[in-house]
Amino acid sequence: MTVNNGPPSPADGAPFPRLSLRRLAPLLVLVVVSVGVIAFGWHRQLSFEEVARHHEALGAFIARHELQAVAAYVALYVTAAALSIPVGFYLTVIGGILFGTVLGGAAALVGATTGAICIFLIARSAIGEYLVRRAGPLAGKLAQGFRADAFSYLLFLRLVPIVPFWMVNLVAALCGVRFATFAAATALGIIPATFIFAFLGAGLDSVITAQQAAYHACVAAGRPDCRLQFHLHAAVTPELIAALVALSVLALGPVVVKHLRGRAR
């Protein structure tokens, strides 16, 4: 008995899907909006400097309207992830600054996963099936191999934050990965880095306070070069990177075992 885990091939007798404007419209809208946001530099507003400048006001608002603040943060994260804007690291750390490790990490996890699912479904619906069906033999074989161990591959790619988040979303969609596999691997795979970055953010309160004091003193002295600066690269230690790499290697364990068993037969 043959089990087909991917989209039907032309040999199955099913007609090739066509690219229609109705199917492409949602993806085209996302692309246009994303290009506009990056071109106008609006994504640069999501910076640690801006958070530091408005830290007291944000803290006061969150104290009065925590639920609304968390909902707004999640909505912002979903939008950024769906538009494939590369600000996930900053948003996650900012979540830790504003809401603490647990709540900030959980909110970032929900926002990132939901945004990834949105762009995955839109891309798969618009062009995913078309490209899989139209792909040549080599591309089709690669896509089929990816789908066969999709959960392990996606878990690996999510655990290693050096791989662009948006790229993983699109690759999974274009390879025809199942929705349940994509959603589960994404949610599970981003947990370690998400809570680590939220933890880093939660520890920045004292840094922000010190930076604000120095900044206000600089402004009071009338200096024109006053800036609020943060050096998060010092917190991202080699040990932290090594831990994430170790987790990603473990994620590929099932794939390695499967291939070794296949050779032994």
Side-chain angles (χ1 to χ4, degrees):
M1 183 178 67
T2 302
V3 179
N4 187 356
N5 291 323
S9 63
D12 298 326
F16 277 117
R18 293 182 178 181
L19 288 179
S20 65
L21 183 59
R22 181 176 61 84
R23 296 180 64 178
L24 287 173
L27 183 60
L28 292 176
V29 170
L30 286 183
V31 171
V32 170
V33 174
S34 178
V35 171
V37 169
I38 295 175
F40 285 102
W42 293 335
H43 63 295
R44 296 192 184 95
Q45 300 300 317
L46 297 173
S47 66
F48 301 120
E49 274 191 23
E50 291 299 319
V51 172
R53 285 196 182 96
H54 305 288
H55 186 251
E56 293 181 1
L58 288 170
F61 178 82
I62 292 171
R64 296 193 305 269
H65 310 286
E66 185 178 53
L67 183 60
Q68 293 91 325
V70 172
Y73 170 80
V74 171
L76 177 63
Y77 210 131
V78 170
T79 303
L83 292 175
S84 300
I85 299 173
V87 293
F89 169 74
Y90 296 99
L91 276 176
T92 305
V93 175
I94 289 172
I97 294 173
L98 298 178
F99 306 109
T101 302
V102 177
L103 182 57
L109 181 64
V110 172
T113 302
T114 305
I117 288 174
C118 288
I119 186 60
F120 169 80
L121 292 176
I122 290 173
R124 190 180 69 169
S125 174
I127 58 176
E129 183 182 355
Y130 177 85
L131 289 183
V132 169
R133 296 281 299 276
R134 290 285 187 179
L138 178 58
K141 186 175 181 180
L142 291 174
Q144 184 178 4
F146 189 91
R147 289 195 303 271
D149 296 294
F151 185 84
S152 294
Y153 285 133
L154 284 172
L155 195 60
F156 169 78
L157 293 172
R158 294 306 193 189
L159 285 168
V160 183
I162 59 174
V163 180
F165 193 75
W166 61 269
M167 185 180 295
V168 179
N169 299 334
L170 293 180
V171 167
L174 300 183
C175 286
V177 174
R178 294 178 180 274
F179 168 74
T181 301
F182 175 83
T186 296
L188 184 61
I190 65 175
I191 286 176
T194 296
F195 280 95
I196 287 172
F197 295 150
F199 175 77
L200 294 179
L204 285 178
D205 270 336
S206 59
V207 177
I208 289 177
T209 301
Q211 289 285 344
Q212 283 180 324
Y215 175 76
H216 292 313
C218 178
V219 172
R223 294 175 54 185
D225 58 342
C226 302
R227 289 179 60 87
L228 286 166
Q229 297 182 355
F230 297 91
H231 303 285
L232 279 179
H233 64 273
V236 183
T237 63
E239 291 79 11
L240 173 60
I241 296 175
L244 291 175
V245 171
L247 286 173
S248 66
V249 171
L250 288 177
L252 283 181
V255 178
V256 175
V257 171
K258 180 178 178 179
H259 282 288
L260 290 177
R261 287 180 176 176
R263 289 184 177 183
R265 290 178 181 176

